Amino acid sequence: MNSRADQLKAFDRLLTIMDELRAQCPWDKKQTMKTLRHLTIEETYELGDAILDNDLNEVKKELGDVLLHIVFYAKIGSETNNFDIADVANEICDKLINRHPHIYGDVQVENEQDVQRNWENIKLKEGKKSVLEGVPNSLPALVKANRIQEKVAGVGFDWEKPEQVFEKLQEELAEFQEEIRMNNQQKMEEEFGDVLFSMVNYARFLNINPENSLELTNKKFIGRFQFLERRAKELGKTLKEMTLAEMDVYWEEAKNRAKAE
């Protein structure tokens, strides 16, 4: 791997290129934080895809794209004398040192749960009014549910055992089934949300990231369905012309092929 000197040299090269692009490129000169925002979100999702695909070469490329955006925002901040890349780096360094008193201070911890609790308590001492302030409003609902539960668990508001969470999930499922029986659309939606929230909570107790888990299932389904489409095309048929029984044969074939790989 590269030495620290080479790493710093590479970062300095990126900063220099960013300066040049901002001064000379018509497109780069026009960008603002707002115009970059949606592109940053897109790059972050692309990085997430590469991580789930375990494509480390692609992870490297996507990390570069995300790093470029960080440098870009810092460059724009420096032009208005609000902050530059050194301020950005020092801010996160100070935060990490302050929130890791078990490394940079004399606090003793026994496990990662202690670290999480300390982290959330320190944030409150820093002026946060609520533990949940750090959960962005614009997060996708599934990710947000997981982060909410992690945050409150960090200050001790949590179940003691996974079995308790599973019982709560069963309770929510029963309430959902009751609203289905009553055919109350609004209540059905509310109870379904409770079921999902409980599922996310149970996943957390099993050390399963629900967002990653669901996306892996999405990818698995897409792969199998596209295999089904290819098989139909080989037979000179469209999916609408196939029976469910025929489609099921090729669906099982797709599953078996995936297991063999």
Side-chain angles (χ1 to χ4, degrees):
M1 301 307 300
N2 293 294
S3 67
R4 177 58 60 89
D6 286 336
Q7 292 170 358
L8 293 173
K9 183 178 178 181
F11 192 63
D12 180 68
R13 182 185 178 205
L14 176 59
L15 292 176
T16 299
I17 290 172
M18 185 73 257
D19 289 344
E20 293 169 347
L21 293 179
R22 188 67 174 168
Q24 301 173 38
C25 175
W27 186 87
D28 289 281
K29 288 166 67 174
K30 286 183 63 177
Q31 300 314 304
T32 67
M33 290 189 184
K34 286 185 178 179
T35 63
L36 289 173
R37 178 181 177 275
H38 74 283
L39 298 175
T40 307
I41 293 170
E42 182 181 322
E43 296 295 354
T44 304
Y45 275 108
E46 289 178 358
L47 172 60
D49 285 343
I51 292 170
L52 286 181
D53 291 339
N54 197 30
D55 187 338
L56 296 185
N57 189 54
E58 198 63 25
V59 168
K60 177 186 67 177
K61 294 178 182 178
E62 297 301 339
L63 281 171
D65 290 340
V66 172
L67 180 58
L68 170 62
H69 280 243
I70 294 170
V71 169
F72 211 147
Y73 287 118
K75 177 61 179 177
I76 294 171
S78 71
E79 293 168 354
T80 55
N81 293 318
N82 290 107
F83 60 86
D84 63 16
I85 194 66
D87 295 316
V88 173
N90 283 323
E91 184 86 16
I92 188 61
C93 287
D94 291 343
K95 180 188 292 185
L96 289 172
I97 290 170
N98 187 50
R99 294 188 184 176
H100 288 79
H102 54 290
I103 303 296
Y104 301 103
D106 55 5
V107 172
Q108 299 294 316
V109 296
E110 294 184 4
N111 49 47
E112 63 178 295
Q113 286 75 30
D114 286 348
V115 174
Q116 281 185 306
R117 280 190 289 271
N118 285 342
W119 182 281
E120 296 301 339
N121 288 328
I122 291 169
K123 286 176 67 174
L124 290 175
K125 291 178 181 177
E126 290 173 348
K128 298 286 186 182
K129 295 180 180 179
S130 170
V131 169
L132 298 178
E133 275 187 28
V135 181
N137 290 328
S138 57
L139 274 181
L142 186 65
V143 179
K144 184 187 288 187
N146 193 47
R147 289 300 290 144
I148 288 171
Q149 292 167 12
E150 288 177 342
K151 291 283 187 181
V152 299
V155 292
F157 188 77
D158 204 3
W159 300 92
E160 294 179 351
K161 301 176 182 178
E163 294 80 7
Q164 296 172 311
V165 189
F166 188 68
E167 289 175 6
K168 180 63 175 175
L169 172 59
Q170 291 177 310
E171 176 187 320
E172 297 295 354
L173 280 168
E175 292 176 3
F176 178 49
Q177 288 294 325
E178 177 62 19
E179 296 304 336
I180 292 175
R181 189 182 68 80
M182 298 295 291
N183 197 29
N184 186 324
Q185 189 66 38
Q186 181 178 341
K187 287 291 185 180
M188 284 164 55
E189 186 171 330
E190 291 176 9
E191 293 299 338
F192 185 66
D194 290 347
V195 170
L196 288 177
F197 196 82
S198 295
M199 281 292 294
V200 169
N201 214 1
Y202 190 47
R204 181 174 58 85
F205 269 82
L206 300 178
N207 294 317
I208 295 171
N209 183 291
E211 172 70 17
N212 290 349
S213 183
L214 182 58
E215 183 57 18
L216 287 171
T217 295
N218 289 340
K219 288 178 177 290
K220 181 168 59 179
F221 184 92
I222 289 170
R224 292 175 183 176
F225 190 80
Q226 289 177 339
F227 176 84
L228 175 60
E229 289 177 316
R230 290 194 299 272
R231 295 295 275 152
K233 189 174 181 180
E234 291 170 3
L235 295 171
K237 293 184 176 181
T238 65
L239 291 180
K240 288 185 177 181
E241 295 171 331
M242 298 177 70
T243 65
L244 280 175
E246 287 178 303
M247 286 191 280
D248 191 54
V249 170
Y250 297 117
W251 185 266
E252 289 300 318
E253 184 180 342
K255 287 173 62 175
N256 292 332
R257 283 169 64 94
K259 289 177 183 178
E261 292 176 354

